[in-house]
Amino acid sequence: MVIDAREVTLALGTTTILRGIDLRVGQGESVALLGASGSGKSSLLAVLTGLERASGGRVTVAGLDLGALDEDALARARRGRIGIVLQAFHLLPTMTAHENVAVPMELAGMADAFERAAAELTAVGLGHRLDHYPTQLSGGEQQRVAIARALGPRPPLVFADEPTGNLDAATGHSIMDLLFDRRAATGATLVIVTHDPALAERCDRIVTLADGRILSDSAA
């Protein structure tokens, strides 16, 4: 299992957000976390990526017990193992598209980071936009850069949290086609947070959450 979460709880102050989540995901699977706003799906993704620490239970991701790692160790563990695509693109405005993809790989000690970044941007249709800054790119183009950044290091596990939430319907559809295509090309496990049943049905499994609990877990 590339993800093994057992009896995971999350409480922030007096508010309980996750209530005993059990979730296991095998290498190469695509899984949708489906649910209405407030169901806990984005909080679960934050716990699975180590961006939020579980209040209880055990979370093992890519062979690592996240609860046993401090913040620095978590950051190091994510490099090369976990790619994350968010609704907000989180590109650095002072860096070009090329630099936004290459610099994280360079900081992780990967060889030929800029060559690899150029190849990834070409693969997502932005080979002609390497030297453009985020403000010079459309929303869809910025999300393509974010996908190239997430998948460039070839992580075994990719998380996407409402990756089309800031895009119009046509652009969002194109971005999801791209994300699934790139995931297929790299063989990564993919976990997508969404409220869209049509998008969820493109995955191998649909895990439906409500009120911090898993209501169902079935093949799409």
Side-chain angles (χ1 to χ4, degrees), residues 110-131:
M110 297 179 186
D112 303 321
F114 279 83
E115 290 82 355
R116 292 177 63 174
E120 283 298 317
L121 285 165
T122 298
V124 300
L126 291 179
H128 63 301
R129 305 283 266 172
L130 299 183
D131 296 325

Side-chain angles (χ1 to χ4, degrees), residues 84-86 88-92 95-105 117 120-153 167 175 178-179 182:
I84 304 173
V85 181
L86 300 173
F89 314 125
H90 291 295
L91 302 180
L92 293 175
M95 289 187 178
T96 64
H98 195 189
E99 290 165 337
N100 264 284
V101 177
V103 168
M105 291 194 285
E120 283 298 317
L121 285 165
T122 298
V124 300
L126 291 179
H128 63 301
R129 305 283 266 172
L130 299 183
D131 296 325
H132 287 69
Y133 291 90
T135 56
Q136 298 172 307
L137 302 173
S138 69
E141 288 172 331
Q142 290 184 63
Q143 194 62 297
R144 286 171 180 261
V145 175
I147 290 170
R149 180 181 58 190
L151 295 178
L167 305 173
I175 288 297
L178 173 64
L179 182 58
R182 296 305 298 149

Side-chain angles (χ1 to χ4, degrees), residues 163-187:
T164 63
N166 286 333
L167 305 173
D168 62 74
T171 303
H173 184 80
S174 174
I175 288 297
M176 290 315 305
D177 285 344
L178 173 64
L179 182 58
F180 276 94
D181 286 347
R182 296 305 298 149
R183 171 255 173 182
T186 62

Side-chain angles (χ1 to χ4, degrees), residues 20 26 36 51 63 69 84-85 87 95 107 112 128 134 157 170 181 197-198 209 214 219-220:
L51 297 174
L69 303 177
I84 304 173
V85 181
Q87 179 175 337
M95 289 187 178
L107 292 175
D112 303 321
H128 63 301
L157 182 55
D181 286 347
L209 284 84
I214 292 177

Side-chain angles (χ1 to χ4, degrees), residues 6-218:
R6 298 175 184 266
E7 288 297 314
V8 172
T9 61
L10 177 66
L12 298 178
T14 59
T15 302
T16 300
I17 300 173
L18 299 179
R19 308 168 186 269
I21 295 288
D22 285 305
L23 178 66
R24 281 166 283 286
V25 179
Q27 179 62 45
E29 280 192 283
S30 58
V31 177
L33 301 180
L34 181 67
S37 178
S39 61
K41 58 189 188 298
S42 289
S43 295
L44 176 56
L45 182 140
V47 168
L48 295 177
T49 56
L51 297 174
E52 192 74 62
R53 197 172 291 275
S55 304
R58 183 184 178 95
V59 181
T60 303
V61 175
L64 299 169
D65 180 356
L66 300 190
L69 303 177
D70 62 22
E71 294 303 317
D72 288 341
L74 277 171
R76 290 193 299 271
R78 277 190 291 268
R79 291 174 189 160
R81 289 187 177 93
I82 296 175
I84 304 173
V85 181
L86 300 173
Q87 179 175 337
F89 314 125
H90 291 295
L91 302 180
L92 293 175
T94 57
M95 289 187 178
T96 64
H98 195 189
E99 290 165 337
N100 264 284
V101 177
V103 168
M105 291 194 285
E106 190 173 53
L107 292 175
M110 297 179 186
D112 303 321
F114 279 83
E115 290 82 355
R116 292 177 63 174
E120 283 298 317
L121 285 165
T122 298
V124 300
L126 291 179
H128 63 301
R129 305 283 266 172
L130 299 183
D131 296 325
H132 287 69
Y133 291 90
T135 56
Q136 298 172 307
L137 302 173
S138 69
E141 288 172 331
Q142 290 184 63
Q143 194 62 297
R144 286 171 180 261
V145 175
I147 290 170
R149 180 181 58 190
L151 295 178
R154 294 293 189 270
L157 182 55
V158 175
F159 292 93
D161 190 356
E162 300 283 8
T164 63
N166 286 333
L167 305 173
D168 62 74
T171 303
H173 184 80
S174 174
I175 288 297
M176 290 315 305
D177 285 344
L178 173 64
L179 182 58
F180 276 94
D181 286 347
R182 296 305 298 149
R183 171 255 173 182
T186 62
T189 303
L190 177 63
V191 178
I192 298 178
V193 165
T194 185
H195 64 275
D196 181 356
L199 173 55
E201 287 173 2
R202 297 184 63 172
C203 296
D204 300 324
R205 285 166 58 196
I206 299 175
V207 177
T208 304
L209 284 84
D211 194 28
R213 297 184 173 90
I214 292 177
L215 290 185
S216 63
D217 182 348
S218 60

